[in-house]
């Protein structure tokens, strides 16, 4: 597909029209593409557990994370409320020598490994399924498609497409590399039958960007140049009927974006029009190494968001099991 770099408005409008899922599951729908993930797909995913090997796909949530203040996003701040020292001194007020520790965390909900909810991005003031953005998200939060509506649902067959390993150099794609539908298909072909992607799947796309950040430092991992999905993949994402997609990058789509003047245009189609759940800053490296070793790129994946009522995104600690 040819993109006119000077016309993001036109490209977004055309893609939104081609790829719209508005009304597909009724006017009241709040789940979007998670509707594709049914009980049969979960049974299929559960049957993939053979070895019992498990892999955490979450980055750590701590002060040494990637955030640097953009849109007031900071790294998590972890503070102790009660400590072992308090217990030793007997100041906690418990009987018979009992002591304990307690703590608290403050953080933006998209500080580290996370899901974008359906109230996170709007197109010209319109949210998922054609609702007015102001009717969905208010000062009280997302009152319609809050992330809690997805609770208990994001579990099923996961598929890893290690584009960094197949297309890249030394397992990594360079910044600004736009992953097209052709690249995704080429990666599937290289991985074999276990990497087929279709209806209800939870797709993970590894670029190698996080591996480089770990090696060289965070730098501009947040908001800076990165490999990612091309805007032209909107039709592929719609056609395959996947339930959700996650990457090892901050912004999911290629940066700089593929237009002269644009900011995250694929988000503007994928979330409010497809109703697609996007995951970002996932750690796929250890899982990818295992998949390369045993040549199996499918697995059971559970990735329930923290059900913060009314949140437009939420932390997640995904686990893949093979």
């Amino acid at each position: 597909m040819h993109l006119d770099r000077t016309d993001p408005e036109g490209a977004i409008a055309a893609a939104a029209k081609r790829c719209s899922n508005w009304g597909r599951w009724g006017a009241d729908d709040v789940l979007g593409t998670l509707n594709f993930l049914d009980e049969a797909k979960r049974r299929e995913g559960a049957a993939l557990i053979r070895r019992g090997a498990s892999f955490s796909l979450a980055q750590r949530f701590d002060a040494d994370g990637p955030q640097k203040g953009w849109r007031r996003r900071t790294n998590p701040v972890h503070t102790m409320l009660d400590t072992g020292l308090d217990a030793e001194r007997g100041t906690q007020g418990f009987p018979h020598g009992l002591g304990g520790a307690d703590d608290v965390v403050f953080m933006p909900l998209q500080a580290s490994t996370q899901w974008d909810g359906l109230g996170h991005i709007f197109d010209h003031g319109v949210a998922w399924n054609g609702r007015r953005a102001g009717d969905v998200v208010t000062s009280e939060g997302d009152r319609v498609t809050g992330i809690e509506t997805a609770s208990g649902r994001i579990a099923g067959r996961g598929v890893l497409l290690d584009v960094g390993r197949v297309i890249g150099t030394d397992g990594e794609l360079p910044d600004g590399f736009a992953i097209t539908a052709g690249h995704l298909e080429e990666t599937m072909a290289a991985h074999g039958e276990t990497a087929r992607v279709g209806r209800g799947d939870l797709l993970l796309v590894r670029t190698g960007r996080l591996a480089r950040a770990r090696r060289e430092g965070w730098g501009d991992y947040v908001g800076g140049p990165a490999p990612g999905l091309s805007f032209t993949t909107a039709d592929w994402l719609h056609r395959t009927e996947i339930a959700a997609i996650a990457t090892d990058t901050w912004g999911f789509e290629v940066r700089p974006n593929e237009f002269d003047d644009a900011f995250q245009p694929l988000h503007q189609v994928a979330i409010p029009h497809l109703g697609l759940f996007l995951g970002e800053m996932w750690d796929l490296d250890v899982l990818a190494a295992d998949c390369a070793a045993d040549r199996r790129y499918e697995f059971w994946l559970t990735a329930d968001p923290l059900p913060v009522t009314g949140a437009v995104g939420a932390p997640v600690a995904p686990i893949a099991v093979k």
Side-chain angles (χ1 to χ4, degrees), residues 7 17 30 41 54 66 75 81 105 179 187 207-208 240 244 254 272 281 285 289 305 315:
D7 186 23
K17 184 176 181 180
V30 298
K41 178 56 69 169
S54 63
N75 292 309
L81 300 176
V105 170
I179 299 170
T187 301
T207 70
T240 54
V254 62
M281 296 185 285
D285 290 343

Side-chain angles (χ1 to χ4, degrees), residues 213-297:
R214 289 224 171 91
R215 185 175 65 250
E216 300 177 356
W218 288 118
D220 288 331
Y221 178 80
V222 168
L229 274 285
S230 168
F231 181 83
T232 61
T233 59
D235 297 88
W236 187 91
L237 296 169
H238 182 246
R239 182 174 65 253
T240 54
E241 298 184 337
I242 57 173
I245 182 171
T247 71
D248 57 349
T249 68
W250 167 82
F252 164 71
E253 57 190 284
V254 62
R255 294 181 55 82
N257 302 134
E258 296 156 284
F259 300 92
D260 294 336
D261 183 19
F263 184 79
Q264 304 301 78
L266 185 54
H267 274 66
Q268 195 171 338
V269 175
I271 292 179
H273 292 283
L274 273 74
L276 180 63
F277 279 71
L278 308 182
E280 293 157 336
M281 296 185 285
W282 289 37
D283 185 352
L284 306 177
D285 290 343
V286 176
L287 173 64
D290 188 85
C291 290
D294 75 356
R295 300 295 300 167
R296 300 192 66 86
Y297 289 85

Side-chain angles (χ1 to χ4, degrees), residues 108-120:
L109 295 179
Q110 299 189 19
S112 188
T113 307
Q114 55 96 19
W115 283 117
D116 284 350
L118 296 186
H120 179 48

